[in-house]
């Protein structure tokens, strides 16, 4: 019994472990929180701002070195990963990643600190993320509460991105934008990095991983006890009858060859193309890599290539 209790079914380095007895261990203790700063390597400035008093929500903003004060820059809203249970925009991994991305793409980033399970079960993280997106939109006339956005953000060129659970959130925010719209911003595209999607029926390599599948099922239910199950449209976009209303015209998906979520990223692309959506979607696969490898090995050549791809995606003209 003890050997089963201690046996790891899924080990997501630096984020969480799922044991074969169903226990879930969030590896919060190893995260190093860093203050906002002027990064000497990239000349990117960062600061923390309050986006909402009720609920109390904050974000970390990143601004590149301003060469032309009259130039408006694309804005990326970023949702961190961590299985809806751990991590934050203030951890060293996400802080450093955003610094590099801002410098590479010459953009502004709003990195969102949403509330997490188990203290705040889903759908709270979705609600918080939408609240911050509305806060961003409040700067449309240049008279919002944050001067960096008033002065430098091009709200006609807004992108959403996230990794793992954050990729799931970015998708959900794009769906909500497509259904409700949001006066003040134009959502140009989304970037999904190793997105956390799932489903009741196995696909691809999942067929051979029945025990792992049970653990991932349990992980979702622990984050969202009120869910309808693993075919909840929030987790499985293939079951969403409104998938074709995704509120942007371009999607970029990153998957990793050794990631247990790899096939879900490819599947997302396939079903999006069949949904009647009509935009363009691209999938980039990193060979020999695992889940969110870019956060913990940023000097890896595949991680550098990812940065370049995201920068190119954001800065290309949208001809759709």
């Amino acid at each position: 019994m003890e050997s089963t209790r201690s046996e790891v079914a899924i080990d997501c380095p630096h984020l969480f472990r799922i044991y074969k007895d169903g226990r879930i261990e969030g590896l919060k203790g190893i995260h190093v929180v860093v203050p906002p700063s002027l990064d000497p390597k990239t000349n990117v400035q960062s600061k923390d701002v309050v986006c909402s008093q009720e609920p109390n929500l904050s974000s970390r903003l990143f601004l590149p070195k301003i060469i032309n004060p009259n130039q408006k820059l694309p804005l990326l809203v970023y949702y961190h990963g961590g299985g809806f249970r751990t991590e934050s925009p203030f951890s060293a991994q996400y802080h450093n990643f955003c610094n590099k991305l801002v410098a590479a793409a010459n953009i502004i980033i709003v990195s969102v600190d949403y509330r997490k399970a188990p203290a705040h079960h889903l759908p709270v993280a979705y609600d918080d993320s939408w609240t911050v997106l509305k806060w961003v939109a409040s700067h449309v006339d240049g008279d919002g509460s944050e001067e960096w956005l008033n002065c430098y953000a091009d709200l006609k060129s807004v992108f959403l991105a996230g990794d793992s659970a954050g990729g799931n959130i970015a998708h959900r925010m794009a769906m909500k934008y497509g259904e409700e719209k949001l006066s003040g911003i134009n959502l140009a595209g989304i970037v999904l990095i190793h997105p956390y999607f799932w489903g009741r029926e196995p696909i691809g390599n999942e067929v051979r991983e029945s025990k792992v599948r049970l653990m991932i099922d349990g992980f979702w239910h622990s984050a969202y006890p009120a869910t309808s199950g693993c075919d909840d449209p929030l987790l499985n976009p293939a079951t969403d009858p409104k998938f074709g209303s995704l509120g942007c015209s371009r999607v970029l998906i990153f998957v990793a060859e050794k990631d247990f979520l790899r096939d879900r990223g490819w599947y997302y692309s396939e079903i999006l193309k069949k949904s009647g959506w009509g935009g363009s979607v691209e999938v980039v696969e990193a060979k020999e890599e695992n889940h969110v490898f870019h956060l913990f090995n940023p000097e890896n050549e595949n991680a550098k290539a990812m940065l370049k791809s995201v920068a190119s995606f954001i800065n290309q003209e949208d001809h759709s």
Side-chain angles (χ1 to χ4, degrees):
M1 180 68 112
E2 183 58 34
S3 62
T4 301
R5 177 174 173 78
S6 61
E7 193 171 350
V8 176
I10 299 174
D11 189 0
C12 190
H14 311 285
L15 295 178
F16 56 82
R17 293 191 188 101
I18 303 179
Y19 294 87
K20 288 193 173 181
D21 69 351
R23 288 183 301 120
I24 301 170
E25 178 185 6
L27 305 180
K28 298 179 181 180
I30 64 172
H31 299 307
V32 177
V33 173
V34 297
S37 62
L38 173 61
D39 181 51
K41 294 181 180 179
T42 61
N43 287 317
V44 171
Q45 298 181 68
S46 56
K47 66 178 175 179
D48 297 337
V49 299
V50 175
C51 305
S52 168
Q53 297 285 353
E54 185 58 44
N56 185 17
L57 301 175
S58 60
S59 295
R60 179 159 290 182
L61 272 58
F62 297 82
L63 183 74
K65 183 177 181 180
I66 300 299
I67 305 299
N68 178 3
N70 296 317
Q71 179 187 9
K72 296 287 188 176
L73 304 176
L75 174 68
L76 175 69
V77 181
Y78 196 87
Y79 307 102
H80 68 80
F84 303 106
R85 302 174 69 91
T86 184
E87 270 292 359
S88 82
F90 318 122
S91 72
Q93 289 86 359
Y94 283 103
H95 178 83
N96 293 335
F97 174 71
C98 287
N99 273 334
K100 289 177 179 290
L101 182 53
V102 164
N106 196 35
I107 59 174
I108 298 171
I109 285 182
V110 176
S111 187
V112 181
D113 188 29
Y114 53 85
R115 289 174 291 175
K116 293 171 280 292
H120 302 281
H121 289 120
L122 293 174
V124 167
Y126 299 119
D127 296 338
D128 290 352
S129 298
W130 185 249
T131 295
V132 174
L133 198 56
K134 289 193 292 184
W135 174 81
V136 169
S138 72
H139 294 78
V140 61
D141 294 322
D143 58 359
S145 61
E146 174 46 51
E147 282 306 302
W148 282 5
L149 300 189
N150 289 334
C151 295
Y152 304 117
D154 181 2
L155 297 188
K156 295 180 181 178
S157 184
V158 173
F159 294 81
L160 309 179
D163 62 278
S164 195
N168 176 296
I169 293 174
H171 158 77
R172 181 57 206 150
M173 294 303 98
M175 288 297 304
K176 192 171 179 66
Y177 177 86
E179 295 164 12
E180 301 182 14
K181 298 303 179 186
L182 188 57
S183 178
I185 66 174
N186 174 63
L187 182 57
I190 61 174
V191 179
L192 309 180
I193 302 173
H194 311 161
Y196 175 31
F197 299 123
W198 205 239
R200 189 174 63 85
E201 296 297 327
I203 62 172
N205 291 326
E206 297 169 7
V207 175
R208 298 189 293 271
E209 301 289 347
S210 58
K211 290 184 179 180
V212 173
R213 282 190 52 80
L214 286 174
M215 296 303 102
I216 297 177
D217 291 356
F219 191 77
W220 169 251
H221 282 84
S222 72
Y224 193 5
T227 182
S228 60
C230 288
D231 277 341
D232 190 318
L234 294 173
L235 186 63
N236 185 0
T239 66
D240 191 342
K242 298 180 180 179
F243 195 17
S245 67
L246 187 73
C248 62
S249 59
R250 291 190 286 132
V251 176
L252 177 61
I253 305 168
F254 291 96
V255 298
E257 184 181 18
K258 296 182 177 181
D259 184 7
F260 56 88
L261 296 176
R262 168 191 175 274
D263 292 331
R264 291 291 165 175
W266 281 106
Y267 186 48
Y268 180 100
S269 171
E270 294 170 10
I271 59 176
L272 182 57
K273 291 175 182 177
K274 297 175 182 177
S275 69
W277 169 60
S280 63
V281 56
E282 178 185 1
V283 183
V284 178
E285 180 168 333
K287 302 300 181 183
E288 298 297 319
E289 301 291 0
N290 214 319
H291 195 62
V292 298
F293 69 91
H294 62 290
L295 293 176
F296 307 107
N297 193 5
E299 297 307 313
N300 172 302
E301 290 304 314
N302 284 327
K304 293 179 180 178
M306 178 190 290
L307 274 181
K308 291 180 181 178
S309 294
V310 176
S312 176
F313 176 79
I314 292 174
N315 288 296
Q316 76 182 60
E317 291 185 11
D318 185 355
H319 298 295
S320 62

